[in-house]
Structures are given as structure tokens and as C-alpha cells.
Amino acid sequence: MTEGISLAILGLGPGGLAMLPYLDAHPDVRLAGLCDLRIDALQAAPVPKSVPRWTSIDDLLASDVEAVYVATPTHHHAAHAIAAMRAGKDVIIEKPMCVSLMEADAIASTAAQTGRKVVVGHSQSFEPAIQLMRALIVSGAVGQLRALNAWNATDWMYRARLPVEFQREAGGGVVHRQGVHHADMLRYLAGGSPRTLRAAIGDWDPLRPGDGSYSAFLSFDDGVVATLFYSGYDHFPATELTFGIGENGRQALPGHARARRALRAGGSDPSIKHGAGLAAQMERLAPGEHPACFGMLLASCTQADLRIDRTGVQVFADDFCRTLPIVGLPAGRSAVLDELVSAAAGVPTVHDAAWGRANMAMCHAIVESSLAATEVSLNSNLVPPTGAPALAPPPLVFAHLQALFDDSFRHP
Ligand SMILES: NC(=O)c1ccc[n+]([C@@H]2O[C@H](COP(=O)([O-])OP(=O)(O)OC[C@H]3O[C@@H](n4cnc5c(N)ncnc54)[C@H](O)[C@@H]3O)[C@@H](O)[C@H]2O)c1
């Protein structure tokens, strides 16, 4: 049997299934079980028959697996992660970490009481291009970060979905489900937390009600400012701005409004999500050949602008424009597993419970600002994560950057 941390996946929707190819390839974490209430999902999972399958979380928790990947619907994350930690398991919790900040506190205190590790992901700051961008910023080679502008436009509202996925109070809608990626990316690149935020949420389609868009302006303590835009309304696709590349690094099919038309033709029965609609979700989440592009992201520094292109991070400096390739760095979901391995070995990691809570707090602030139609201050809600030294990417990302450096990137 392969050595490494034994991990079971809890929840076999698109979120849980997306981890399978990365687990299969990981040298230090191995798949040791699957758990879902749906027997058909357990039977259909594309893994060897020898992998244990449970329909009850109690049976999973009674097993000897060392870690659980909590990929159940968001409103179950807190209960499932806490039960797993109490049963002696480390946990990876899919984003968003949970629904309320009180639940987030309960997860953090259970981790502290039990000594179990929490990794929150997959989210965009695990992606190699974002990590390379952060390493470049931390290195000082492009001067000081001054502004982040992040735009994404997808078909999120028209994909096959369960009703709960549109309910804000259950962690649904694009603010909680997708804004948490933006929060994660921005906080990682800025190396801290915004202090003020003004946002407006859009709910534009009475046939598909819920939080479907948001726009926000944020300021950070050190003068960095940011804008965010997300639309899940499937007209203009942000892949038009990203060389056709989508959020998992896959080349998007040309065209637009495909999900709108499919919904119109196929109906909105929620069972479609785990039936005929699953293939489309899995196609989008399958490993891609390009850097992941969660929409268009422009990081403006005093000595260069940075964006993600087809092979890495493109640097627009005074005298050159050059791409730093990401080839050789682990893909985002592999990096999640790497972080579990580091955390289990006692190494301080970035994406712990405090990190997940702070990302959620930013999404809650988007809701608060939009409802009150005013700027909100985030104050003590958003602390840098404990034990995460200067929000640094893993050493291998710096080593990768160092290997790419030439004189044109060095400070005089
Ligand atoms: N990081 C990403 O890119 C990404 C992508 C998709 C989903 N997600 C996240 O993953 C989570 C799940 O999303 P999804 O779209 O896969 O949801 P889903 O509802 O399609 O799937 C959840 C699965 O959990 C199972 N489940 C529910 N309660 C259970 C229980 N008590 N015991 C065992 N199994 C149970 C369901 O039967 C279902 O198969 C969400 O938090 C979502 O935000 C993340």
C-alpha cells in the first residue's frame, strides 16, 4: 500500500470529485475512502472498487483514516469538520469554510482544543500563478504593490444547481461562493486585509433569484486599493479577457450564454446537477493545461504591472514585457494537499481556520455594505493569519522565482 496521509472525501458533488485526479497523482496523500448519502454517487465514483465507501459519516469517522476532505454543501461544513476533528482527523474544508462567523470561530476553537489541523481550500491563492505573483511582490523586484483590479464574469447563476446554492443564509449565491475566491486572492496578494469596503450586490433575474453579482471598492492600510467585479449572469464571459482560459486553467469553449440556453432547454430540476449536468461541471473543474484564471486580474506595482497569461505571470515593466512561466509548480489542488502534509508535520501554513474566517468576513462585509448602502470598516474582523510568516508562498515558489530571475528583475 502507498504510504502517505490517508484521506477520505466526504461529499461527492463537483467539489469533492474535482479533487480525485490530484489525489491520484499526489506522492504523500492517498485516497482512503469515500462518503456520501447518495449510493449512486458512491458507485459511480471513478476510483478502484477497493476504496472503502460509506453512506454514513459516523462510519467514516469510526474508520482509521487520518484526514477528511469536507466537500459537503457549505451549510454542513462546520458540523462535519468539527465532528471529524473530534474523531481525531485533520480536515481540508472546501471554500467557503462555513456559513457564519460564529461557525468559523467554533471550527477554530475545535482545532485549538483537539490539536487537529485545518486547511481551507481549494481557493485561488493556492494556484501557482497567484503564488508566483505574490512571491514577485514580496521579492520587491517590481516595487510596491499599489492596486489590484479583479473582474470575473461567468455562468454561475445558470449552471445546474440545488435550491440551497442560491440561499445567502446557507452560504449560497456568488458573494459567498465566488466572492470568497476574490477575497482569498486579494488578501493573499496584498499580504493583509482590507480596512474599508464599499460594495453593491446585484440580483437581476427574477427567474433565478439570489446574489448574482457584486461590485466593490476596497482599501488596505498601506495604501493599496482594489476593485472587484463578479457577474454570474452568463452574458459576457470573462474568458474574453483571459486568453480564453477559465478558472481551472482550461481553455473555454468559444461563445457565450451557453448555460442560459441549456437551462431554458433542459429545465431547472435540481436533480440535473448530479445527473445530466454533472459532466459539464466536471469538464470545467478538470485539470487544465494553463494557469488558472479566475477572471481578469491586474496587479499594479510601482515598477511593473502583472497579469496572468497562457503560461505564467506576465510582467509589464519600463523596458520589457516578459512572462515568468509556472511550469514545474504544483497545480492549485495539489498545493492544497501539500499544505495538509505541511500542517500535519507541524509547519505553520497560510490557509488555516483564521485565514478561512477572514476570507468569509470579507464576503459578509460585502453583504453588509450592500444592504446598508454605505462603506464598512472591517477592523479587527480581518487579521492576518496566525503563524503565517508574511503571507509567504511555499519555499519552492521562491526557488522557482529565483531560478527565473535575471538582471532585468534585480533592483539597482
Ligand atoms: N473550490 C472549488 O472550485 C469548488 C467547486 C465546487 C464546489 N465547491 C465547494 O464544495 C462544496 C460542495 O459543493 P458541490 O457543488 O459539490 O455540492 P453538492 O451539493 O453538489 O455535493 C455535495 C455532496 O455532499 C453530499 N452530502 C450532503 N450531506 C451529506 C452528509 N450528511 N453525509 C455525506 N454526504 C453528504 C451530497 O449527497 C452531495 O453528493 C461547497 O462548499 C462548494 O462551495 C468548491
Side-chain angles (χ1 to χ4, degrees):
M1 181 180 286
T2 325
E3 293 303 317
I5 295 176
S6 55
L7 176 132
I9 299 180
L10 173 60
L12 296 177
L17 291 171
M19 189 52 107
L20 285 175
Y22 302 91
L23 252 178
D24 197 36
H26 202 278
D28 301 315
V29 186
R30 64 185 168 85
L31 181 66
L34 301 172
C35 180
D36 200 293
L37 298 173
R38 295 183 299 120
I39 292 174
D40 54 337
L42 288 167
Q43 285 170 344
V47 301
K49 292 229 174 332
S50 56
V51 174
R53 286 146 159 98
W54 304 283
T55 50
S56 153
I57 185 173
D58 293 338
D59 293 337
L60 156 60
L61 297 185
S63 78
D64 60 1
V65 300
E66 294 161 289
V68 176
Y69 175 41
V70 179
T72 43
T74 306
H75 59 284
H76 291 315
H77 286 185
H80 288 165
I82 288 170
M85 285 189 279
R86 289 201 177 128
K89 325 286 186 197
D90 292 334
V91 289
I92 298 173
I93 312 178
E94 253 301 349
K95 62 79 206 164
M97 185 165 82
C98 49
V99 175
S100 71
L101 297 181
M102 263 171 63
E103 285 180 341
D105 290 337
I107 290 172
S109 63
T110 305
Q113 282 157 17
T114 60
R116 301 326 310 175
K117 305 300 178 193
V118 175
V119 175
V120 182
H122 163 260
S123 52
Q124 290 296 309
S125 70
F126 284 99
E127 289 297 336
I130 300 292
Q131 299 211 338
L132 191 57
M133 233 185 229
R134 175 67 185 152
L136 202 49
I137 291 166
V138 171
S139 77
V142 287
Q144 259 192 304
L145 178 68
R146 295 289 80 202
L148 292 161
N149 288 287
W151 273 33
N152 203 355
T154 71
D155 57 4
W156 199 94
M157 293 297 279
Y158 297 95
R159 292 176 198 157
R161 296 215 170 271
L162 308 180
V164 71
E165 295 182 78
F166 296 108
Q167 293 164 13
R168 183 191 284 164
E169 60 282 8
V174 301
V175 174
H176 292 305
R177 285 281 294 267
Q178 299 288 277
V180 79
H181 278 306
H182 265 153
D184 176 72
M185 221 159 75
L186 245 65
R187 295 187 56 250
Y188 193 72
L189 291 173
S193 297
R195 293 295 158 188
T196 66
L197 179 155
R198 173 70 171 98
I201 295 173
D203 181 350
W204 300 339
D205 182 353
L207 295 176
R208 207 73 168 157
D211 294 343
S213 86
Y214 55 84
S215 305
F217 177 79
L218 304 89
S219 68
F220 293 72
D221 267 355
D222 54 4
V224 176
V225 292
T227 67
L228 290 180
F229 172 68
Y230 191 102
S231 165
Y233 285 110
D234 196 25
H235 280 136
F236 174 80
T239 47
E240 290 278 332
L241 303 173
T242 59
F243 306 92
I245 304 165
E247 73 179 84
N248 219 34
R250 292 183 68 81
Q251 194 69 41
L253 293 171
H256 76 288
R258 197 174 289 106
R260 275 182 176 265
R261 290 191 294 273
L263 186 67
R264 229 167 32 216
S268 58
D269 187 325
S271 67
I272 292 172
K273 178 170 188 191
H274 296 141
L278 190 60
Q281 300 261 14
M282 297 323 297
E283 163 71 18
R284 196 177 45 80
L285 291 168
E289 59 279 19
H290 302 291
C293 289
F294 188 76
M296 167 74 195
L297 167 69
L298 183 65
S300 297
C301 305
T302 50
Q303 293 176 26
D305 281 350
L306 314 175
R307 74 159 171 179
I308 299 169
D309 72 5
R310 296 180 65 82
T311 57
V313 176
Q314 200 173 16
V315 182
F316 294 77
D318 287 16
D319 300 316
F320 62 88
C321 174
R322 178 181 158 186
T323 296
L324 302 179
I326 58 160
V327 63
L329 292 174
R333 283 181 174 79
S334 302
V336 173
L337 299 174
D338 290 345
E339 200 162 298
L340 174 70
V341 173
S342 295
V347 177
T349 53
V350 170
H351 304 87
D352 61 5
W355 177 262
R357 184 194 193 279
N359 288 343
M360 282 173 56
M362 199 176 124
C363 298
H364 284 266
I366 289 175
V367 174
E368 185 188 336
S369 171
S370 183
L371 290 176
T374 188
E375 182 174 275
V376 297
S377 164
L378 289 110
N379 293 327
S380 57
N381 268 348
L382 292 183
V383 290
T386 46
L391 275 186
L396 79 122
V397 180
F398 281 104
H400 180 86
L401 181 63
Q402 191 63 43
L404 295 169
F405 260 21
D406 62 19
D407 286 344
S408 49
F409 279 99
R410 292 217 175 88
H411 273 314

